[in-house]
Every structure is written in C-alpha cells, then in structure tokens.
C-alpha cells in the first residue's frame, strides 16, 4: 500500500493548472488556425480580385476593339457610297478633247461669254433619238478614260452662250456641232440681234450633250 503524504489541495491545484494549460493550448492552436485561415483567405481574395481586374481589362479591351471595328466598318461603308457617287458623277469623256472640239467648231467668227459643262442624270434628258422599244446603253467616252472605271449613269451636258458676227454664223456653228462626232442633240435655245460697241452682232445660246452613249433596241 502506497502512502501519499501530499495534500489533496495540491493535487487539485495541479489538475486545475493542467486543465487550464490544455484549454490555453487549444485556444492558441485554434487562434493560430484562424490566423492562418484568414491569411489564406485574404490571399485567395486578393488573387480573385486580381483575376477579376484582368478579366475586366480584357473585356474593356475587347469592347474597344469591337467599337473600333464597327466605326471602321461604318467609315468604309460611307467611303464606298462616296466612291460609287463619284464614279456616277465622273464624266466618261475627258474635258480636254471636248474643249478642243468646241474650239474647232466655234471658229473665229464667234466668241463665247459662258461655257457650262455639267453632269446630268441620263433619265432627265429628253432623248429625241430614243424611240419606243429602244433603250440607252452607256459606252466608253470619246477620247475618254482608260482607267477601268465603271460607266456612269450620267450624261455630259454643254451650254454655250456667246456672240456671233451674224445669224448665218450661228446657223453655221449649229451645223458644225451637229456634224461633229463629239456632240448630239444640239438645241438652239435663242438667237437674237444685239449691239456691241456700236456694231450689230447676234447673241445665241446653244445646248448639246456629249455623244458618249448609244441607243440599241430592247431585247
């Protein structure tokens, strides 16, 4: 039989200290785990925020690219429309041969005060040469372009306003314009007597179109 001479209160205090020690140790372990968990969670949250920021940056960059692509497509569409419009308005026959032929037809007994060369829609002309059952076909211009541009749907209309020595010279001018292969639909608008520096002259206005289209029968 073993005798224990240590007082019971000592054993009780020792058990209490051990109990407190275990509790403190458990609290310390739990606190450490909590701190480590918070650190890991903070790192994961920071990484998630960084990934989210990267995704947002990528999204914004992609959105800017899409918007820029749409803007470029709209600009290309506008430029295509403008190009088609320019092609339609660009004359098939260059101005230089037209002016040279006009100079030849006018001669020395008449002088121009106004010369207007404009492009007008083909449909707006009163094509006297076009009869029922016929159609207008655009062809390459006389002495014109070789740039491969598509034939436009316009016609070059010319307006001549000037003075001639007399009415016979106006009639001769009209005849020369009609005989030229460059012009057709020569129309005298008016011819009237005027005085210039005390001399009697004849004022005139003539309109015609450049003959860079032909008429064919409809199929």
């Amino acid at each position: 039989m073993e005798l224990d001479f240590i007082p019971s209160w000592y054993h009780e205090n020792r058990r209490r200290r051990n109990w407190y020690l275990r509790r403190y140790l458990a609290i310390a372990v739990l606190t450490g785990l909590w701190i480590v968990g918070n650190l890991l969670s903070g790192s994961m949250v920071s990484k998630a925020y960084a990934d989210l920021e990267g995704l947002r940056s990528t999204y914004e960059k992609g959105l800017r690219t899409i918007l820029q692509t749409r803007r470029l497509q709209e600009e290309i569409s506008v430029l295509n429309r403008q190009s088609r419009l320019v092609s339609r308005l660009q004359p098939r026959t260059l101005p230089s041969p037209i002016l040279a032929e006009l100079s030849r037809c006018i001669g020395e007994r008449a002088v121009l005060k106004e010369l207007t060369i404009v492009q007008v829609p083909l449909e707006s002309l009163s094509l006297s040469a076009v009869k029922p059952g016929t159609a207008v076909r655009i062809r390459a211009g006389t002495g014109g372009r070789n740039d491969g541009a598509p034939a436009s749907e316009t016609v070059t209309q010319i307006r001549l306003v000037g003075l001639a020595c007399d009415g016979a010279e106006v009639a001769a001018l009209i005849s020369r314009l009609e005989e030229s292969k460059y012009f057709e639909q020569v129309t005298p608008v008016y011819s009237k007597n005027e005085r210039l520096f005390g001399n009697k002259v004849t004022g005139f206005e003539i309109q015609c179109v450049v003959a860079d289209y032909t008429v064919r029968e409809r199929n």
Side-chain angles (χ1 to χ4, degrees):
M1 180 177 180
E2 184 179 353
L3 297 176
D4 185 4
F5 297 100
I6 300 174
S8 60
W9 58 267
Y10 176 80
H11 291 292
E12 186 67 26
N13 288 338
R14 185 178 180 182
R15 283 193 298 272
R16 188 178 294 110
R17 284 195 303 271
N18 291 335
W19 185 85
Y20 283 135
L21 182 61
R22 288 193 296 270
R23 294 297 182 273
Y24 291 151
L25 183 60
I27 291 173
V29 172
L30 291 176
T31 302
L33 291 176
W34 179 77
I35 293 173
V36 172
N38 282 340
L39 291 176
L40 291 176
S41 299
S43 176
M44 294 177 63
V45 170
S46 299
K47 187 177 183 301
Y49 274 116
D51 293 341
L52 181 61
E53 186 67 24
L55 289 175
R56 186 174 67 177
S57 177
T58 302
Y59 169 76
E60 292 177 351
K61 183 178 180 181
L63 183 60
R64 287 194 299 269
T65 301
I66 292 174
L67 294 177
Q68 184 178 9
T69 300
R70 290 179 178 176
R71 184 164 56 252
L72 291 176
Q73 288 176 344
E74 292 175 357
E75 292 178 0
I76 291 173
S77 179
V78 171
L79 290 175
N80 286 336
R81 289 196 298 270
Q82 292 176 348
S83 177
R84 288 194 295 269
L85 180 60
V86 170
S87 296
R88 292 186 61 184
L89 296 179
Q90 189 173 6
R92 290 178 299 279
T93 302
L94 297 175
S96 52
I98 296 176
L99 295 176
E101 183 67 8
L102 283 175
S103 178
R104 186 191 68 80
C105 292
I106 292 172
E108 299 180 355
R109 293 172 55 81
V111 62
L112 291 182
K113 296 192 298 181
E114 295 181 31
L115 171 61
T116 305
I117 301 177
V118 296
Q119 296 297 119
V120 298
L122 189 61
E123 295 81 2
S124 68
L125 287 181
S126 175
L127 301 178
S128 58
V130 179
K131 302 176 182 179
T134 63
V136 173
R137 178 170 61 86
I138 301 299
R139 62 179 172 84
T142 304
R145 305 181 343 226
N146 293 317
D147 54 7
S152 64
E153 298 176 358
T154 58
V155 175
T156 304
Q157 188 177 49
I158 300 174
R159 176 174 173 266
L160 306 173
V161 179
L163 298 172
C165 294
D166 48 37
E169 181 60 27
V170 175
L173 172 58
I174 295 173
S175 177
R176 288 192 294 269
L177 290 172
E178 291 175 339
E179 293 173 356
S180 172
K181 67 176 182 178
Y182 276 79
F183 311 112
E184 62 182 30
Q185 296 193 55
V186 180
T187 304
V189 178
Y190 68 82
S191 177
K192 60 181 180 180
N193 293 327
E194 298 181 10
R195 285 200 170 272
L196 180 65
F197 304 119
N199 297 318
K200 184 178 178 182
V201 296
T202 301
F204 63 87
E205 177 179 341
I206 303 172
Q207 292 184 2
C208 59
V209 297
V210 177
D212 52 4
Y213 63 90
T214 56
V215 178
R216 63 177 175 82
E217 294 292 331
R218 292 185 187 273
N219 295 326

